[in-house]
Amino acid sequence: MGKLQNKVALITGGASGIGAATARLFASEGAKLVLVDLNEEKGKEVEAELKANNAEAIFVKTNITKEEEVTALFKQAAETFGKIDIVFNNAGIGRVHPTHDLDYAEWRNTVNVDLDGVFLVAREALRSMLVNGSGSIVNTASMYGWVGSPGSAAYNAAKGGVVNLTRSLALEYAEKNIRINALCPGFIDTPIIPEDDKVVLSTMTPMKRLGKAEEMAKAVLFLASDDSSYMTGNSLIVDGGYTAQ
Ligand SMILES: NC(=O)c1ccc[n+]([C@@H]2O[C@H](COP(=O)([O-])OP(=O)(O)OC[C@H]3O[C@@H](n4cnc5c(N)ncnc54)[C@H](O)[C@@H]3O)[C@@H](O)[C@H]2O)c1
């Protein structure tokens, strides 16, 4: 029996990269999937692939920064599968930009997706899990929620916010049988990383390579499943040694 047999998992950013790899792994462990993304074309592709492999899956196009869309998403998910056990709160954006040149609109947009969107999805997840009496939420932060880097002020501030949001929610809901942890990836080979940056980012990493989305998915499975049943408020750094430097 799979580790997520009879579990319903909702994954934001499920159309690509870490989210899509996690959806594949979760499905192979028996979960029913609610895939969430802005990118409808890629989201439907992942949905079709999972279904072709006999998984139950739906794709729901949602912008995680729109409160009413997030509410409608959880309503549709509950109507389809009856409950939500796991939420992988993972959708995000990031761009490198010198701070003295950073438009306020770009700052707002980054913080809006990477922090406000995470809050909106977590809040709706908590409402649903409180009714259910249990749940596990995994927020995607970043190693840049722990250490700084030049040119990513908005992203790093938002990801640092996700790390402490995770701790705060964990304490608030620890007695309610809802665990909240975070994944903090290093440089992972997904479409968020520009092709031209891959060699230099590999060089900056002690293990001298980028991580794979599948390597993140294994850590998410650990955090989402009962394998981590005594963990809450934790931020698991999976970064090829970057933050050990
Ligand atoms: N790849 C890395 O090196 C790395 C490192 C640290 C953290 N992360 C984080 O991992 C998460 C997943 O990123 P990834 O590497 O898989 O990149 P990705 O670009 O492959 O996937 C991100 C997905 O999020 C979706 N998305 C963006 N804004 C959205 C919104 N407003 N509403 C709904 N969906 C939205 C995108 O359409 C995309 O499919 C992000 O939070 C990212 O910040 C990635």
Side-chain angles (χ1 to χ4, degrees), residues 12-19 36-39 42 62-65 90-94 113-114 140-143 155 159 184-193:
T12 70
S16 178
I18 296 168
V36 182
D37 210 287
L38 265 183
N39 189 328
K42 282 175 77 183
T62 308
N63 183 340
I64 60 156
T65 68
N90 162 74
I93 54 170
V113 177
D114 289 347
T140 302
S142 168
M143 65 181 179
Y155 181 84
K159 294 298 188 179
C184 297
F187 301 124
I188 312 305
D189 193 355
T190 73
I192 214 174
I193 302 242

Side-chain angles (χ1 to χ4, degrees), residues 14 33 35 40-53 55-60:
L33 272 307
L35 299 167
E40 189 163 25
E41 194 187 330
K42 282 175 77 183
K44 289 209 168 224
E45 273 174 32
V46 179
E47 179 197 29
E49 178 198 323
L50 296 178
K51 283 180 165 167
N53 289 320
E56 282 188 60
I58 56 163
F59 171 74
V60 186

